[in-house]
Amino acid sequence: GFHNWISFLREEEAATANYKGYIETGQFGPANYVITGTFSWYTANKSIGGFYTGNSPELDLAVFTVCFYTRPNQQCKVNLGNYQHSVQTWEQNYNGMTLVGSAY
């Protein structure tokens, strides 16, 4: 997905994603932001979507994993420094296993 700036950047570099502008931004660290914006991917237009900027994939993975296990299928409040942010996770069941369907 595009919930991290690195994956979105790679799609833009491949000319498969086109960032069309932001709707709002939110800060959750001294140099970390959440951008809600609009973009297209291949021929599909996404009128509203978001991704994190400035943070590492390792931080994303750690935060999303903690939220998935502690607050599955709901919003998880996260404090990073003096900033509070909410993470949403969704479970997906497959062959009797509970997997991460999405986390953002």
Side-chain angles (χ1 to χ4, degrees):
F2 297 119
H3 303 302
N4 181 281
W5 69 275
I6 293 172
S7 33
F8 192 85
L9 173 67
R10 288 182 177 154
E11 293 287 340
E12 269 197 316
E13 289 174 339
T16 55
N18 183 16
Y19 175 72
K20 297 182 177 183
Y22 77 96
I23 296 168
E24 67 180 353
T25 62
Q27 191 168 6
F28 71 100
N32 306 82
Y33 296 89
V34 178
I35 296 176
T36 303
T38 181
F39 61 91
S40 62
W41 186 50
Y42 290 93
T43 58
N45 286 313
K46 178 104 171 160
S47 60
I48 188 168
F51 52 89
Y52 299 102
T53 64
N55 50 312
S56 68
E58 293 86 356
L59 175 64
D60 289 351
L61 187 57
V63 170
F64 293 162
T65 300
V66 168
C67 286
F68 178 75
Y69 282 114
T70 61
R71 307 261 188 306
N73 298 316
Q74 60 183 305
Q75 295 227 343
C76 173
K77 302 289 184 195
V78 178
N79 290 315
L80 296 170
N82 294 324
Y83 301 91
Q84 186 177 62
H85 184 67
S86 294
V87 170
Q88 175 70 51
T89 62
W90 298 104
E91 293 178 335
Q92 182 172 341
N93 294 307
Y94 177 76
N95 286 340
M97 297 180 296
T98 302
L99 307 173
V100 178
S102 187
Y104 52 89

